[in-house]
Amino acid sequence: MMKVLPFSKVGLAGLGALCLAATAQAETLRIEGLYPARADNIAEIKSIAIDRFGGRDGTALAFEIEDRLSDIRIDGVRYFKIMTGRSAIEPEGTLSGTATAGIEEYPTTEYRDRCIKRDDKDKCLKRKSVEVDCLKRVIDFQAQIRLSRFSDGQTVYSDRKSNGNEQTVCGRKESFASSEGIIRGMIQSAANSVRRDLAPIERRENIRVLESRKAMDKATASLFKAAVKMTKTDEREACRMWDQAAANSAPHISIAFNRGLCAEQEGALDEAMTHYLEARQLSAGKTELVQAIRRVEDRQRAMDDWDIRYVNAERTGDTVAAASVD
């Protein structure tokens, strides 16, 4: 089977390092990276055949999932080869499932604001909340999706996607929203969720630096404040200044955290984790630290999955340029 030449691990880990010259955001550092698929144990699967989807809405869901998976690009290169119909090449995985949206309507009562007294010109003089007869519509969407490894038939991913919508109308002036549009939105939502389950994402976000200078000596506080201001125009220089502050002062949570952001921005994930763990020793429960450590752990897992996905191709030498899969 033809395999894909692995991308540079450093390149994937340090996507943000390519954008350092971009316009900086006030008191933030831009962090870009690869984050893992939500499902485990599927990193090796590169080709997927869309098998039969049963149920009233199964075909529509299969088409939506096919579109989502076909559109995935990581670092500009297609992530999955999606196969439909007969093919001379065996897929590594087969995706199947079922999907049905049910619609029920039943009478009910609700309170509505109504005019209970009018003048001789039909102008409302008094209004009151009164109980009125209504009709409630409930749309329930249920889908089951399964990914099986083709070589042995073992299920490597299985999940249920559920969604619901309720609407009540009372009187001739109220009407139900289009049930077709609502169901279509539910199908699209399920397909988006499957995409996120099966493949990693590239994410870009601006993370606010810590600014507290409490307990810093005067010289360090002055340098630290200048570094925070520098993030607006030159993020690299701000990072250099925080390194300088760390070298000439006692450990401080804000310095350690901001240095962690700098390392994370460059894709140096192990170094970033070292700084974040140092900051956690100084203030264990800080929300920004909890989020930062989880973010780095996710990115490290994405790198591990990437190695798993392409390590066999690299070892066997049965490779082609990644761009050729397009």
Side-chain angles (χ1 to χ4, degrees):
M1 181 181 296
M2 184 172 63
K3 298 185 183 294
V4 178
L5 187 68
F7 298 131
S8 164
K9 183 173 181 179
V10 174
L12 280 172
L15 292 171
L18 301 178
C19 301
L20 297 180
T23 301
Q25 301 293 318
E27 291 85 34
T28 65
L29 293 184
R30 175 169 289 188
I31 304 298
E32 297 187 9
L34 187 71
Y35 294 82
R38 289 192 296 229
D40 296 324
N41 304 318
I42 58 170
E44 291 180 323
I45 294 180
K46 309 179 193 68
S47 60
I48 296 177
I50 306 297
D51 206 347
R52 181 180 178 276
F53 273 64
R56 184 183 303 120
D57 301 288
T59 299
L61 178 59
F63 284 147
E64 288 289 341
I65 291 175
E66 179 185 343
D67 288 344
R68 297 300 186 281
L69 298 186
S70 297
D71 286 344
I72 299 172
R73 299 288 191 279
I74 302 297
D75 202 25
V77 176
R78 184 177 296 163
Y79 190 75
F80 285 125
K81 178 179 178 62
I82 303 301
M83 305 162 64
T84 57
R86 294 185 177 181
S87 173
I89 302 174
E90 293 181 350
E92 293 174 323
T94 57
L95 196 68
S96 60
T98 183
T100 299
I103 303 177
E104 293 185 359
E105 294 182 357
Y106 54 89
T108 186
T109 58
E110 288 196 358
Y111 284 88
R112 291 288 191 269
D113 187 51
R114 296 288 188 261
C115 181
I116 61 173
K117 185 177 181 181
R118 296 180 181 275
D119 62 16
D120 55 1
K121 295 182 179 180
D122 202 33
K123 181 180 180 181
C124 187
L125 298 177
K126 186 176 180 181
R127 304 187 70 86
K128 183 179 179 181
S129 181
V130 298
E131 190 174 23
V132 297
D133 293 329
C134 306
L135 187 65
K136 175 175 282 191
R137 184 187 69 186
V138 177
I139 300 177
D140 179 62
F141 176 82
Q142 297 291 333
Q144 181 72 43
I145 300 95
R146 179 177 291 107
L147 178 65
S148 301
R149 192 162 48 222
F150 187 84
S151 60
D152 58 9
Q154 182 178 342
T155 298
V156 293
Y157 162 79
S158 180
D159 197 28
R160 180 178 295 276
K161 308 296 182 184
S162 302
N163 209 335
N165 175 272
E166 292 186 8
Q167 186 179 0
T168 302
V169 298
C170 307
R172 290 176 295 178
K173 294 184 178 180
E174 299 180 18
S175 60
F176 289 120
S178 167
S179 59
E180 291 81 2
I182 291 173
I183 293 171
R184 184 167 56 252
M186 291 176 173
I187 292 171
Q188 292 171 346
S189 177
N192 289 335
S193 182
V194 171
R195 179 261 174 266
R196 187 64 189 88
D197 290 344
L198 299 184
I201 58 169
E202 293 170 302
R203 194 170 74 210
R204 173 187 302 172
E205 53 191 329
N206 295 313
I207 307 296
R208 194 170 186 89
V209 303
L210 294 187
E211 300 182 48
S212 173
R213 303 186 301 277
K214 184 178 181 181
M216 287 185 191
D217 62 78
K218 186 174 181 180
T220 301
S222 178
L223 178 60
F224 180 88
K225 182 178 179 180
V228 170
K229 185 177 180 180
M230 185 63 68
T231 61
K232 300 178 183 180
T233 56
D234 189 339
E235 295 179 357
R236 286 293 89 206
E237 177 59 16
C239 290
R240 188 200 65 77
M241 294 167 72
W242 283 319
D243 285 343
Q244 180 182 343
N248 295 287
S249 66
H252 193 281
I253 180 174
S254 295
I255 296 175
F257 178 86
N258 293 352
R259 293 182 76 203
L261 282 180
C262 292
E264 189 180 351
Q265 186 184 63
E266 291 187 308
L269 300 182
D270 290 342
E271 180 183 345
M273 183 64 80
T274 297
H275 292 310
Y276 290 145
L277 293 178
E278 176 191 348
R280 189 172 68 177
Q281 289 180 338
L282 300 169
S283 180
K286 199 167 185 62
T287 301
E288 292 89 342
L289 272 173
V290 173
Q291 294 172 342
I293 291 171
R294 183 182 300 120
R295 187 172 59 245
V296 171
E297 288 174 341
D298 284 346
R299 292 181 63 183
Q300 289 173 328
R301 179 187 153 204
M303 293 301 98
D304 290 341
D305 285 348
W306 195 264
D307 282 346
I308 291 171
R309 188 173 183 82
Y310 293 113
V311 68
N312 290 335
E314 188 174 38
R315 286 176 178 173
T316 62
D318 183 18
T319 62
V320 294
S324 69
V325 298
D326 276 345

